[in-house]
């Protein structure tokens, strides 16, 4: 059976899922969704406030419902939150309902891209951002790889070449 024509982007914070996803969707004339933005629209609160009021567990529950809903759409590009792959049901939906691309980056690049970030509560703990990212990369790397149909390196590649690489795999 052919997979539905959806494109799902997974990977850590700062790998370029949203930027790549938006531009890719324009090029392919597909609808674009970012699961975090949909959660914020539905909740009427931004991600840091959701974490503050409901904790990570509350956020993950909302995230799972949105991933289930969005992955049932047709002909979309979806940028997922970096932790979406932690949940086995989310992973199944992604794998079964579209082609999954892991946008992979190295620690140095991730650090540069997220160092001034204020919207990612997981990076605001009592621990240096570098060691948080290192841990997340170690914990999640295998899950990203197991969920992905294709792995695309984003650290030393332009947005344009990342998009071209994705399109090439779809042909
Ligand atoms: C998270 C990543 C964020 C957002 C939330 C949790 C994570 O999304 O879902 O802050 O667990 O890695 P981005 O990957 O789009 O930054």
């Amino acid at each position: 059976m052919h997979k539905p024509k959806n494109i799902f982007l997974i990977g850590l914070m700062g790998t370029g899922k949203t930027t790549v996803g938006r531009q890719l969707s324009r090029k392919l004339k597909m609808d674009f969704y970012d699961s975090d933005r949909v959660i914020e629209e539905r909740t009427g609160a931004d991600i840091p406030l959701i974490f503050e009021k409901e904790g990570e567990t509350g956020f993950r529950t909302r995230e799972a419902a949105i991933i289930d809903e969005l992955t049932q759409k047709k002909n979309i590009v979806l940028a997922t939150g970096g932790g979406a792959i932690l949940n086995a049901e989310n992973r199944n939906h992604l794998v079964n309902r579209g082609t999954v691309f892991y946008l992979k980056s190295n620690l140095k690049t991730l650090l540069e891209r997220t160092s001034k970030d204020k919207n990612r509560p997981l990076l605001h703990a009592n621990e240096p951002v570098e060691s948080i990212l290192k841990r997340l990369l170690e914990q999640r790397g295998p899950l990203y790889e197991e969920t992905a149909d294709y792995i695309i390196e984003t650290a030393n590649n332009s947005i344009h070449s990342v998009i071209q690489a994705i399109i090439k795999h779809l042909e």
Side-chain angles (χ1 to χ4, degrees):
M1 195 187 86
H2 279 296
K3 286 193 176 196
K5 255 179 87 186
N6 289 324
I7 299 171
F8 301 142
L9 305 180
I10 62 172
L12 268 191
M13 308 173 245
T15 47
K17 292 166 292 181
T18 303
T19 311
V20 167
R22 188 170 285 120
Q23 293 194 24
L24 179 67
S25 71
R26 273 193 213 122
K27 199 166 173 87
L28 299 179
K29 301 194 172 23
M30 296 166 80
D31 290 330
F32 174 69
Y33 292 90
D34 177 317
S35 61
D36 285 339
R37 296 297 82 75
V38 177
I39 293 168
E40 291 183 330
E41 282 162 20
R42 296 283 171 85
T43 321
D46 62 16
I47 303 290
L49 188 60
I50 300 173
F51 267 72
E52 191 189 312
K53 298 284 180 202
E54 302 181 348
E56 183 174 348
T57 312
F59 171 76
R60 296 292 173 212
T61 304
R62 291 182 182 276
E63 183 175 53
I66 292 297
I67 296 283
D68 184 20
E69 180 186 322
L70 295 177
T71 52
Q72 291 184 55
K73 292 184 179 290
K74 302 272 175 315
N75 224 25
I76 68 158
V77 177
L78 171 66
T80 59
I85 45 76
L86 293 170
N87 174 315
E89 209 166 299
N90 292 349
R91 294 201 296 278
N92 281 336
H93 292 330
L94 292 165
V95 166
N96 293 325
R97 298 173 179 170
T99 305
V100 184
F101 291 88
Y102 168 25
L103 302 193
K104 186 174 181 177
S105 195
N106 58 43
L107 192 58
K108 184 172 166 279
T109 309
L110 291 174
L111 197 58
E112 282 163 11
R113 291 187 187 160
T114 55
S115 61
K116 295 202 178 68
D117 203 284
K118 293 198 174 61
N119 283 316
R120 290 168 165 137
L122 288 186
L123 300 181
H124 298 277
N126 239 344
E127 188 185 348
V129 174
E130 181 167 4
S131 69
I132 298 174
L133 283 172
K134 187 167 180 287
R135 182 162 34 80
L136 292 178
L137 198 56
E138 280 164 12
Q139 285 171 346
R140 296 175 179 181
L143 288 176
Y144 292 131
E145 298 202 359
E146 125 189 358
T147 310
D149 292 292
Y150 302 104
I151 298 173
I152 313 283
E153 296 284 343
T154 67
N156 298 310
N157 291 319
S158 65
I159 292 168
H160 175 76
S161 58
V162 170
I163 289 173
Q164 288 309 314
I166 292 175
I167 291 174
K168 203 153 173 247
H169 284 303
L170 294 168
E171 283 166 0

